[in-house]
Amino acid sequence: MALDFRQTGPTVPRMILGNRLRALREAQRITGADAGREIRASHSKISRLEMGRIGFKHRDVDDLLTLYGVYDTAERATLQALVRESNSQGWWNFYHDVVPSWLHMYLGLEQAATVIRGYELQFVPGLLQTEDYARAVIGLDPDTPERRERKVQLRMARQHVLHRDRPPTLWVIVDEAALRRSMGGRALMRGQLTHLIEATRMPHVTVQVVPFAAGAHSAIAGPVTVLRPPGGELPDVVYLEQLTGGAYPDKPSEAEQYRHVMNRLAVEALPPEETERFLWEALREL
């Protein structure tokens, strides 16, 4: 399936191009330091480019392709087209005033991913929040009312990904604490729980709850999201949301560890059919 980068933004083109350049460099047994010198840059910049963390310059890619012995006109044209896409802007650039630099990569992956798996400890996952619930959560942010409202609009716009023609598979595991914590009153939480129940009926959405009765579990330290880029060639990306930023562990062993955590959580959590019954019971108790 061809990707529409107008929807997914620059993140995936950067990852595809970086992955291809790494393969070409390693095939020629050229070090990152030598590649960096070729484009008048450091080894660390080559590393960031190959991981898809930053955009590319046409001149740098031209020089690297020559260094790597790539002279085929068609391949060079294809990779230069990816350079253009890697410097494009995602639709969320409209909200650039409230999107920190570390979040751009996540937003691009969220819009392009074929599978999104996540665990949330404190809050209902962002893609499944009602507008009122999102406004209550974002209201905890010490920001101006105008900027907080912009963040609410961005969160609602992100949810369109679940309603497009080919939506990603969304599989979320939510701690019971997130469902029991009132974020703005009884009516608001009833609306949010009803929305979650409706989401469980979407064919591409799976929701599981980890009840208090499960005790300590493998992801009790905090939220985790694992995103699978399209195409089958790029590795899964792990995103760890933090108080003042986000982290992307990039070592294969780290990614594998978080995938293992998510697999264990899926076993420790209530199965989807029991989760729906749990949500109905929580709704009746409000």
Side-chain angles (χ1 to χ4, degrees):
M1 178 181 66
L3 285 175
D4 182 355
F5 292 128
R6 291 170 297 178
Q7 292 184 350
T8 64
T11 302
V12 172
R14 288 178 183 178
M15 293 178 67
I16 293 171
L17 181 53
N19 191 58
R20 178 57 179 157
L21 290 175
R22 178 190 292 112
L24 290 169
R25 176 179 62 77
E26 292 176 346
Q28 296 297 319
R29 300 179 183 274
I30 295 173
T31 67
D34 287 340
R37 282 192 289 272
E38 184 68 18
I39 62 169
R40 304 150 296 280
S42 64
H43 183 189
S44 63
K45 181 176 180 178
I46 291 294
S47 179
R48 293 196 301 274
L49 287 170
E50 292 181 348
M51 288 190 294
R53 299 290 194 265
I54 57 178
F56 295 78
K57 295 179 181 178
H58 287 282
R59 175 187 173 185
D60 289 347
V61 171
D62 253 340
D63 290 345
L64 289 173
L65 291 177
T66 299
L67 177 66
Y68 302 158
V70 178
Y71 298 105
D72 181 79
T73 302
E75 181 167 9
R76 291 179 76 105
T78 297
L79 295 179
Q80 285 292 357
L82 282 172
V83 174
R84 289 190 293 274
E85 300 292 352
S86 77
N87 291 298
S88 65
Q89 293 182 340
W91 59 260
W92 54 90
N93 191 65
F94 177 73
Y95 301 95
H96 66 90
D97 54 318
V98 294
V99 178
S101 58
W102 48 266
L103 189 58
H104 281 273
M105 181 174 179
Y106 178 83
L107 293 176
L109 284 167
E110 184 179 74
Q111 296 300 303
T114 58
V115 179
I116 303 171
R117 298 182 67 185
Y119 165 71
E120 287 290 343
L121 174 64
Q122 298 288 344
F123 306 113
V124 170
L127 289 178
L128 298 179
Q129 292 179 4
T130 65
E131 185 170 339
D132 287 342
Y133 184 94
R135 188 168 285 113
V137 173
I138 292 171
L140 300 173
D141 191 341
D143 209 338
T144 66
E146 294 77 14
R147 284 174 55 85
R148 287 199 295 266
E149 191 59 28
R150 292 271 289 162
K151 293 175 182 178
V152 172
Q153 294 170 9
L154 170 61
R155 187 159 300 181
M156 293 300 100
R158 286 168 50 195
Q159 296 182 4
H160 293 166
V161 72
L162 296 179
H163 304 283
R164 67 189 186 196
D165 289 341
R166 294 183 177 90
T169 295
L170 177 66
W171 183 358
V172 294
I173 301 173
V174 188
D175 197 280
E176 182 178 349
L179 306 177
R180 300 296 186 185
R181 180 175 294 105
S182 178
M183 291 302 301
R186 183 170 174 267
L188 186 153
M189 291 304 298
R190 285 184 63 86
Q192 179 60 73
L193 286 172
T194 301
H195 185 68
L196 266 183
I197 292 169
E198 292 170 351
T200 65
R201 296 168 183 167
M202 299 173 75
H204 54 286
V205 175
T206 298
V207 179
Q208 292 182 261
V209 170
V210 183
F212 291 143
H217 54 77
S218 51
I220 202 166
V224 180
T225 304
V226 181
L227 305 107
R228 180 158 299 160
E233 297 180 1
L234 298 172
D236 288 355
V237 176
V238 175
Y239 172 71
L240 306 176
E241 187 168 326
Q242 301 171 346
L243 181 62
T244 58
Y248 301 88
D250 49 41
K251 293 181 180 178
S253 59
E254 292 176 323
E256 181 59 32
Q257 181 178 358
Y258 283 108
R259 280 195 297 270
H260 180 63
V261 165
M262 294 303 300
N263 290 337
R264 284 184 56 190
L265 267 179
V267 174
E268 295 166 348
L270 296 176
E273 61 276 9
E274 290 185 30
T275 287
E276 184 174 353
R277 290 196 291 271
F278 180 96
L279 292 172
W280 275 113
E281 184 62 29
L283 182 59
R284 283 191 289 268
E285 292 174 4
L286 280 173

